[in-house]
Amino acid sequence: LKERPTAIFCQNDRTAIGCYEALKEAGLHIPEDISVVGYDDEEIARHLFPPLTTSILPHMAMGQWAIEQLEAPPTPGRGRYPITKLECPLVERESVGRLGVRDATG
């Protein structure tokens, strides 16, 4: 891009691993040059360098919602279920920072 983005939000943590590698190959540093955020808080996220900021996929809440929908009596002509939003808490780690800020080692 003409102007490099300041952050990349990845579809999931595994995609973020590929993003880390591509950014390193391009000579960019996370989070000094660009921030990276994943989604689903897989175990690997806390072991990357730097550890990946990610959002938790709410498996239990999703399952609970699905069971509640199965228990609800069907409504004639209802069609699709309305959109339901569930909280996806952010797990803040070291892959997000202020643009252009480097520590003494970088």
Side-chain angles (χ1 to χ4, degrees):
L1 298 172
K2 186 176 180 180
E3 289 187 41
R4 184 175 68 224
T6 59
I8 298 174
F9 185 89
C10 298
Q11 164 181 328
N12 54 49
D13 292 349
R14 290 176 189 236
T15 302
I17 294 169
C19 181
Y20 268 49
E21 293 303 312
L23 292 170
K24 287 177 185 176
E25 286 178 19
L28 298 173
H29 298 88
I30 304 166
E32 296 85 2
D33 298 319
I34 191 164
S35 295
V36 179
V37 178
Y39 180 72
D40 63 22
D41 195 30
E42 288 194 27
E43 175 69 25
I44 189 69
R46 59 189 57 81
H47 300 292
L48 294 175
F49 183 78
L52 178 66
T53 294
T54 186
S55 195
I56 296 173
L57 181 61
H59 297 284
M60 294 291 288
M62 291 166 53
Q64 181 179 351
W65 178 88
I67 296 300
E68 289 169 359
Q69 302 315 302
L70 291 173
E71 292 174 346
T75 305
R78 180 175 174 178
R80 299 178 67 180
Y81 286 103
I83 294 174
T84 301
K85 295 182 181 181
L86 301 173
E87 291 293 320
C88 298
L90 183 66
V91 179
E92 295 183 52
R93 296 194 180 102
E94 288 79 44
S95 66
V96 173
R98 293 187 321 191
L99 185 62
V101 176
R102 289 218 170 163
D103 64 20
T105 63

